[in-house]
Amino acid sequence: MEKAASITRGSAHSGSGSEGLESTQVTWDSDSDPANPQNWPSQQKWINVYLISAQATLSPIASTLLAVGNTEIAKDFKLTNIFTPSLPVALFVLGLGLGPLYIAPLSELYGRRIMYLLCFSLFTIVNIGCALAPNITALSILRLLSGMAGSAGPSLGGGSIGDMFTKSERGGAQALYGFGPTGGPIIGGVIGGFIINGTGTWRWLMWIMVIAPAITVILSILFLRETYGPFILDRKAQARQKETGKPFHVHGIDHALGPVQHVTRIYGILYLHLTTIPLLFGPVSSYGLFTYGWTHGTTGLAYLGAGIGSILGTLICIKYLNRAFKFMAKRTAEREGSESWAAPRSEPEHRLVPMQISFIVVPIGLIIFAWGAEKQTPWPVPLLGALLFALGMIVSYVCIQIYLVDTFERWAASALAATIISRSIFGCVFSVVGFQLYTSLGYGWSVSLSAVNALRLSLTKDL
């Protein structure tokens, strides 16, 4: 239950008298106050979850949608440099990391709803500019701005879910929402090839990213409700101030953010994998690397290995995360002799047990993908590796998301913003250097380096 907001009412005394300061509380009317998002009907909560998840999925879809169109972009703008066609993807991912620097704190001042609506409206408008871009410079700059505007869903969603669900309930909602930032880039790769093949131009990739977000904005205006408890209470305090004519003020609390190295490295590896799929499954060999030679329209299907893994990981999280959390809390209570396990000993660290298992699955998947491609095995082998990698990745991602929400609660948006900033920087860098890394080391050793890095995560004791 959201804690009470501390409100002070100041009263000045005339003449030579001293100034006094009275203290009162503006909080929920009761534990069952319907204004508290945690007391909303289940239907309203899940409407919010679906709309927020839609935003958190469409932005990442846009991140890799152009990856399949790199060749068409290079031809359209007459580019010859190996790195330049990947800039629109890399700068969009960088924008996803820069946006939370201002979106997260503003959401804690002015509420989450206004930031969702404003940012996703801007995201839609900027994508019109991307579709009409006359050159690679304009496209790259607009993609950076698009990423910044589209970062509201990926950066605020975890906090919004924490606003609406108690600790023992939020696992399923976080798992559904968590599919977007990790599964969205995979969906972008899958559909991108078919859109280009059907329309003959990469520009329709951007028009799709105008139409779908515009529909989402309209639905959000109609049905999305404010969830941030302190902002709701602040509006309640302002209403009381108008009624009484006396000044009220809502106090906050100090907070700090910890390191988020784990999800950062995994996310960088994800973008290294996604942006180089066209090399392995494209219609023609590039830079002397082996390719399975899939036709242009079906190249995007190669992303389905990671896509299926993401779906399976999401289903595992929905089914088992809350159970694992309750089991660990119960074990802790029994060990300490507590009779009631649910309330007193449900620590955020109880979220991290499934993550430790996933850190073992990730490098196994990467090794299978790397050497399946290097040894030119049948195509199901590398796709199986991609499936295992994505499954482990999304489980670890969702665990860390819920861990941060449980730890920072009302300041969860800022905590999650720190994660997004660092992971997007890694994703940006890996998007640019991926082609060069594969060209220099081949599939086997380049992905094996990522697997070794991922294996270190399963051995670290930072979290």
Side-chain angles (χ1 to χ4, degrees), residues 54-78:
Q55 293 196 22
T57 303
L58 286 172
S59 296
I61 285 177
S63 69
T64 56
L65 203 59
L66 283 183
V68 182
N70 277 352
T71 302
E72 284 68 26
I73 292 174
K75 291 179 181 178
D76 194 6
F77 295 139
K78 298 179 175 58

Side-chain angles (χ1 to χ4, degrees), residues 27 33 38 47 55 122 183 232 235 237 241 260 267-268 272 313 345 380 395 416 419 436 453-454:
T27 183
D33 188 347
Q38 293 193 354
I47 288 175
Q55 293 196 22
L122 291 174
I232 297 173
R235 288 193 298 185
Q241 177 179 328
V260 287
Y267 210 72
L272 175 65
R345 299 305 300 165
V395 171
L416 295 172
T419 307
Q436 188 63 44
N453 191 22

Side-chain angles (χ1 to χ4, degrees), residues 173-187:
Q174 283 282 9
L176 178 63
Y177 160 77
F179 174 80
T182 52
I186 298 166
I187 297 174

Side-chain angles (χ1 to χ4, degrees), residues 196-256:
I196 292 179
N197 193 51
T199 63
T201 174
W202 62 268
R203 295 183 185 275
W204 259 104
L205 298 172
M206 291 293 91
W207 285 118
I208 294 297
M209 281 294 102
V210 173
I211 297 170
I215 295 173
T216 304
V217 169
I218 294 172
L219 292 175
S220 297
I221 291 173
L222 295 175
F223 301 111
L224 189 67
R225 290 181 60 184
E226 179 61 57
T227 66
Y228 190 47
F231 178 75
I232 297 173
L233 290 175
D234 183 59
R235 288 193 298 185
K236 183 177 180 180
Q238 292 177 18
R240 185 171 298 180
Q241 177 179 328
K242 290 181 180 179
E243 293 174 0
T244 62
K246 299 176 182 179
F248 288 80
H249 175 69
V250 179
H251 288 294
I253 58 173
D254 295 330
H255 62 287

Side-chain angles (χ1 to χ4, degrees), residues 303-318:
Y303 291 90
L304 281 178
I308 294 172
S310 295
I311 293 173
L312 291 176
T314 301
L315 294 176
I316 289 173
C317 290
I318 291 173

Side-chain angles (χ1 to χ4, degrees), residues 157-176:
S160 295
I161 290 172
D163 296 338
M164 294 183 289
F165 296 88
T166 62
K167 288 183 179 181
S168 60
E169 297 173 336
R170 65 181 57 140
Q174 283 282 9
L176 178 63

